[in-house]
Every structure is written in C-alpha cells, then in structure tokens.
Amino acid sequence: MKFNNLMRLRIRQLHMLIVISEVGNIRKSAEKLNLTQPAVTKALHETENFMEVELFVRSNRGVIPTSYGNILINHAKIVMSQLSHACNDLSDLQTGHGAKIVVGTLIVASSKLLPHAIQNVQKQYPDIRVHAIEGVNDKLIPALLNNDIDLVVGRLSDFRYRDNIICEALYKTNAVIVVGANHPLVARKNLHLNDLLEWRWILPPKGTTVRRQIDKSFFDVNLQPPDEAVESVSFLLNQRLLQNTELVGVMPYEVAQEIMVKDNIHILPVTLPETSGYVGFSVNRNRTLPAVVRIFINILMASASELHPSNDLQK
C-alpha cells in the first residue's frame, strides 16, 4: 500500500473525495463538482489505484467510505479547512483588514465572559474581527477538530477528556432551576425536587453534559427526571417561554443572575448538585494556534480573572 504517496495527492482529489463522501452518489457528486460522471468515476479509480486501497464501497444505494476512505477524508477536511483559513488570512493581509477568529460559544459563556473578552479585544486590537457561533458541544467540538472553529468557550464537557482536545478551566459554575416571576412555585416554601415534577420543563437536549447532570441530580434522590415539554438551548426562546408560561427551566447561574431582575426570571431555592462544573476553553491539540488565537486566549483568561477574581479551581 503506497501510503507514502499521500504527499503526491492533489488538492482537487482531496476535494473530490470529500464531496463524494458528503453526497454519497457519483452522479450527484459530478454535478456538484461541475464534472461528468465518467470523469469523476475515472478520477476515483485512479486515486484508489494510486493508494492501492478501496476508498468507497459501491452499492445500489450509492457509495459509502471504507475505513481507509474515512481516515483519508477526515484528514482531507482538515487540509481543506487549513487552506481556507490561509486564503482568508492572505486576503485580509492584501485588503488591509484585521485578522479573524472564529469562536464557538455555549450559553454559559454568552452572557458575561465572552462579551467581556470581545470588548477587551476590540479595545486593544480593533482590527481583529470575531465571529461567534453559538451551539452545543456535540456540534462545536467536531467543528473544532476540523479547524472550522478556532476555540470553544463555555462549560467544559465530557469532550475535555479526548486525546485531541486541550481544555483549560477558568472558573467554577453550576446550573439553577428557574421559572417566570409570576409562576405559582415562587410563593411555595420549603421546595424540594419532587415538588417540581408536576410541572412541565424546558431542558437541554438529551446526551448533553448538563442534561445528564440534571438527570443524575434526580436519580441520586431516587426520583425519575422530568420529561421535557420543550428541548432547547436557545437563550432567547427559553427566556420568553419562562416569562409567558408556567414551564420550569434550567440555566447557568451567571445567566439567570444577569437577567432575573430586568426580565422577570426567578431562581428557585432548589439545588442541582450534579450540575457543578467548570467554564473554560477548548482548542485542537493537533493544531498550531495562530497568533491572533493566542492573543484572544490571553484576553479571555484575563477577562475570566476580572469577572471571577476569587473563583476556586481546586478539583
């Protein structure tokens, strides 16, 4: 197997493999590549012969990458992403625009930490452009590994233990149970978790770190976790629903504290012990970070220290 020949593969071959894997059909891939179907079929055969391995399995339903194909395609995506970043950086240099950084953010970082850091970046480096993408870890971390995102800022999840990710904790946080200011539970005394099960809930998606921690907080006191009426991580949607319905929700403490007075949100005096965790940032271990990303990280760490000067990171 001529794996040493990888260095001789052309960029257009890598692009072709990515397109075929995404479309799963040779004819449709040819249309997307603006080529004929025979040309794509020939190019794929030549690439496979060159590598001396089968990259795709053909079937009546289309084509599926083999294990060899998946490995090569994953690396091809990284190469293409890096080239895209290089094109953007060169374009910025040519046009005189500042460097750009792409930040993935979770809701816990979107209320205070990230805005504070971006404000400080703009003061010190006004030419740096920041593109923020909000989401959940199961979407942001794969983008980070593909170098489509420069870093992810927010609550550190189970992904922090992956070999390809470097995580840095900045401060400790926890989630709180929230309702609208006019919710009947606001007037109740001596609340416990079991008192909340008669109400419908807004919850993070199943499989997320916070959702697992919420469920465990109930399991630990021999209760079944609540079923979600709404599954959402949209801050604005959740805020409006809490204000206008009798739903019960969960928010990071910093977010709830920020909006509770002006936006009629009330924090219930019921704890979720298992939701205690750390807010920080994650970067791709296998990537040499550009100078602009290192600048942003330094300012992010300084911003966290300003906002949480006494936060204990002892684990």
Side-chain angles (χ1 to χ4, degrees), residues 101 103 113-114 116-122 124-125 128 150-151 153 168-170 280-281 283 289-307:
I101 180 170
V103 182
L113 176 60
L114 193 56
H116 193 276
I118 292 175
Q119 289 169 18
N120 287 337
V121 167
Q122 292 302 302
Q124 299 177 46
Y125 302 92
I128 291 179
D150 294 308
L151 76 160
V153 183
E168 180 73 28
L170 297 175
F281 64 89
V283 295
L289 296 179
V292 65
V293 178
R294 297 196 299 272
I295 288 171
F296 187 88
I297 287 174
N298 289 337
I299 293 176
L300 180 72
M301 295 175 71
S303 297
S305 296
E306 291 175 28
L307 294 172

Side-chain angles (χ1 to χ4, degrees), residues 102-116:
V102 182
V103 182
T105 175
L106 289 85
I107 186 173
V108 67
S110 298
S111 62
K112 280 188 177 182
L113 176 60
L114 193 56
H116 193 276

